[in-house]
Amino acid sequence: MQINKLKVTGLRALNQVEFEFKPGMNLLVGVNGVGKTTTLDALRFCLSRVFLALTSQRLSKVPIESTDIRIGSESAQVECELEYQGHSFELLLLKQRHAFVEGKEGEVREQIIERDNKEVFSPSNWLSNYPNSKKEDNQPIGVYYSV
């Protein structure tokens, strides 16, 4: 699997950034607090969904939490372009901040409006390109290291 592009908006320290990855090794280098770990977490959010769809492993999706949304932003968005076995596809994840109804009396939970979050694969039938992907002998290895 090749990750070609990652675009992150409103996630923790990252206001808006786009990475284009090349085959081979890609390095993320920077001083403390600029978003290296956040970038790896954005990849983790995406890959947890892809691996869940492609493997027979009992994995769970790693969610984008409300606390991951950048202060001052209404939402966090992660877009990832991937290539697997000669087919390209994209994944869009959108986590929106809760909205509050001003002036509404009652308990706090009654004052919160849940907004729709999105998780969209494009093309929507991308998984049909991999009919044997759930076979037990077809398991990818994922490595994640966070500091």
Side-chain angles (χ1 to χ4, degrees), residues 107-122:
E107 294 186 31
V108 172
R109 72 180 132 210
E110 295 171 356
Q111 300 172 14
I112 297 174
I113 299 173
E114 291 287 334
R115 292 187 175 170
D116 290 336
N117 298 312
K118 291 184 181 178
E119 181 177 312
V120 180
F121 280 98
S122 178

Side-chain angles (χ1 to χ4, degrees), residues 83-118:
E83 190 174 319
Y84 182 59
Q85 295 180 351
H87 299 280
S88 296
F89 60 95
E90 297 177 17
L91 173 60
L92 167 68
L93 303 174
L94 175 68
K95 173 70 175 181
Q96 298 193 61
R97 196 179 296 282
H98 300 298
F100 294 93
V101 179
E102 292 187 34
K104 185 171 181 180
E105 300 289 326
E107 294 186 31
V108 172
R109 72 180 132 210
E110 295 171 356
Q111 300 172 14
I112 297 174
I113 299 173
E114 291 287 334
R115 292 187 175 170
D116 290 336
N117 298 312
K118 291 184 181 178

Side-chain angles (χ1 to χ4, degrees), residues 1 4 10 17 19 24 34-35 45 49 51 63 87 95-96 98 105 109 115 119 125 127-128 132 134 144-145:
M1 179 175 296
N4 295 323
V17 66
F19 298 94
V34 296
F45 297 145
R49 285 149 178 83
F51 286 166
H87 299 280
K95 173 70 175 181
Q96 298 193 61
H98 300 298
E105 300 289 326
R109 72 180 132 210
R115 292 187 175 170
E119 181 177 312
N125 66 342
L127 196 54
S128 64
N132 297 321
K134 291 277 187 177
Y144 173 72
Y145 176 53

Side-chain angles (χ1 to χ4, degrees), residues 11-27:
L11 187 67
R12 298 184 199 147
L14 300 177
N15 185 29
Q16 185 171 2
V17 66
E18 187 171 319
F19 298 94
E20 290 192 28
F21 299 104
K22 304 296 180 200
M25 185 183 301
N26 293 266
L27 297 175

Side-chain angles (χ1 to χ4, degrees), residues 1-4 47 50-51 54 82-85 89 126 130 140:
M1 179 175 296
Q2 171 72 38
I3 302 166
N4 295 323
L47 292 177
V50 172
F51 286 166
L54 291 177
L82 301 116
E83 190 174 319
Y84 182 59
Q85 295 180 351
F89 60 95
W126 72 278
Y130 315 107

